[in-house]
Amino acid sequence: MASTTTTTMRAIVQDRYGDADVLQVRQIARPEPAATDVLVRVHAAGLDRGTWHVMTGTPYLLRLAFGFRGPRNPVPGRDVAGTVEAVGSGVTKFAVGDEVYGEAPGSFAEYAVAREDKLAHKPANLAFEEAAVVPISALTALDALTTGRVEAGQHVLVIGASGGVGSFAVQLAKAFGAEVTGVASTSKLDLVRALGADHVIDYTRDDFAASGDRYDLIIDIAGNPTLSRLRRALTPTGTVVITGGEDGGGPSGGMNRQFRALALSLFVRQRLTFFVNSVRGSDLERLTALIETGKVTPSLDRTYPLDQVGDAMRHLTTGKARGKIAITGMSA
């Protein structure tokens, strides 16, 4: 294992749950990798909706996993892109100096530790800030389409097509040979078309469930259409994959809709389901191949320096982001 003599680093730290004001820049101890870990010198980190949930501690059931009074890991961030600074004694896939991307808890810092199986070599055609916004959102989109059993020739509807997950879902569905319709707001329809969608629906003017069109697969991302509306837009044996529900209230957030969907699936021919996504290096390698051949390109809305993570969070919550947000400026 190789390592520098640096023992501290700049990082974003939160001691309690709350809004963006709980985030502070501090000098803290640099983490060290265990036997199967990789220490990454962070060049950029992606901002995903899950990081916002951990910051706020909502839905409250989330605190069972992350800590009751405040997050057990006080440094937020999951997506990472950077160079390998050091490797544990059991690491075989990466060496010091390799450019990598993947998942590293605590990536809003100069250094972060990642498990070897949560990383892959960075796509050669992407800058660090572009690579940093890929892992969580693109893998969520990939898992959604895999759960939905997407096939070439199917008609796929992506609700929330202009967001982080949706921007990848549109491109991946096209890469798998589907005919894709994207649902977004008026100001983002041009982005959804540029992502490769065959058709677009402006949800501020038109109801996807009332058009008469029927879809083999619906990917519902961070929306809250009722199950009856989703079913009206499905073919008789079609599939809905629910990947979010940001407007859901109560301790479980929007999860009650997912559980009701599973229960309903027991009694109807249509399949309504959801999934728990995970980051796997093998799936990242699959994404790398699609990215390097030009079939998938991250949609980067804007970047913020490390000391402006609070502003990045606020921009995320406005719903105005066109694609993804990256945090940069960790390493000189």
Side-chain angles (χ1 to χ4, degrees):
M1 171 176 145
S3 178
T4 68
T5 58
T6 303
T7 59
T8 63
M9 65 177 185
R10 283 194 317 137
I12 297 295
V13 176
Q14 68 170 105
D15 299 318
R16 57 187 174 84
Y17 295 119
D19 60 20
D21 292 335
V22 303
L23 304 175
Q24 300 178 348
V25 181
R26 294 185 194 165
Q27 198 78 15
I28 64 172
R30 193 194 76 172
E32 292 297 330
T36 57
D37 290 340
V38 175
L39 179 67
V40 178
R41 183 179 179 88
V42 181
H43 293 285
L47 178 57
D48 69 292
R49 193 75 186 192
T51 301
W52 178 86
H53 282 295
V54 174
M55 180 188 75
T56 61
T58 58
Y60 294 116
L61 284 178
L62 174 147
R63 302 187 187 196
L64 293 174
F66 290 94
F68 286 103
R69 297 183 180 276
R72 293 188 184 96
N73 180 0
V75 182
R78 297 171 65 201
D79 281 322
V80 72
T83 55
V84 174
E85 183 77 7
V87 298
S89 59
V91 173
T92 59
K93 289 176 57 179
F94 304 103
V96 173
D98 285 353
E99 297 183 346
V100 295
Y101 77 137
E103 181 185 44
S107 61
F108 291 176
E110 291 182 292
Y111 297 90
V113 168
R115 281 172 37 183
E116 180 183 24
D117 62 354
K118 302 288 187 181
L119 292 175
H121 290 94
K122 180 179 74 66
N125 59 333
L126 293 187
F128 283 109
E129 60 267 26
E130 295 173 311
V133 303
V134 172
I136 303 299
S137 292
L139 290 178
T140 299
L142 181 62
D143 280 349
L145 290 164
T146 301
T147 300
R149 302 168 188 167
V150 66
E151 295 180 4
Q154 286 185 329
H155 290 234
V156 175
L157 179 71
V158 179
I159 303 173
S162 63
V165 176
S167 62
F168 287 110
V170 169
Q171 295 180 80
L172 287 168
K174 286 295 297 179
F176 297 148
E179 181 176 331
V180 180
T181 299
V183 180
S185 63
T186 309
S187 63
K188 298 178 182 179
L189 295 181
D190 60 331
L191 169 64
V192 178
R193 291 190 186 96
L195 293 169
D198 300 287
H199 317 282
V200 295
I201 296 174
D202 182 348
Y203 72 77
T204 68
R205 299 176 53 187
D206 301 306
D207 181 359
F208 68 85
S211 68
D213 293 325
R214 297 293 178 262
Y215 302 92
D216 303 293
L217 173 60
I218 297 176
I219 307 297
D220 178 25
I221 303 163
N224 244 347
T226 63
L227 298 182
S228 60
R229 285 182 64 214
L230 291 170
R231 290 188 62 208
R232 282 202 303 273
L234 273 184
T235 59
T237 57
T239 296
V240 169
V241 179
I242 300 173
T243 70
E246 295 299 339
D247 296 329
S252 63
M255 290 299 293
N256 60 327
R257 190 169 61 116
Q258 281 91 318
F259 293 128
R260 285 190 289 108
L262 279 182
L264 181 60
S265 279
L266 298 174
F267 303 99
V268 299
R269 295 174 64 200
Q270 294 164 325
R271 180 169 169 256
L272 294 84
T273 189
F274 70 99
F275 63 96
V276 177
N277 70 299
S278 60
V279 175
R280 294 173 291 271
S282 57
D283 286 339
L284 284 168
E285 291 166 0
R286 186 180 179 189
L287 285 173
T288 296
L290 291 167
I291 291 168
E292 291 185 338
T293 57
K295 293 181 179 179
V296 173
T297 302
S299 177
L300 183 61
D301 177 65
R302 63 181 67 183
T303 64
Y304 289 84
L306 185 64
D307 59 1
Q308 293 180 19
V309 167
D311 292 334
M313 283 286 191
R314 295 181 189 97
H315 180 58
L316 176 70
T317 59
T318 65
K320 296 179 180 179
R322 295 164 58 91
K324 294 285 295 180
I325 299 168
I327 309 302
T328 60
M330 289 83 158
S331 303

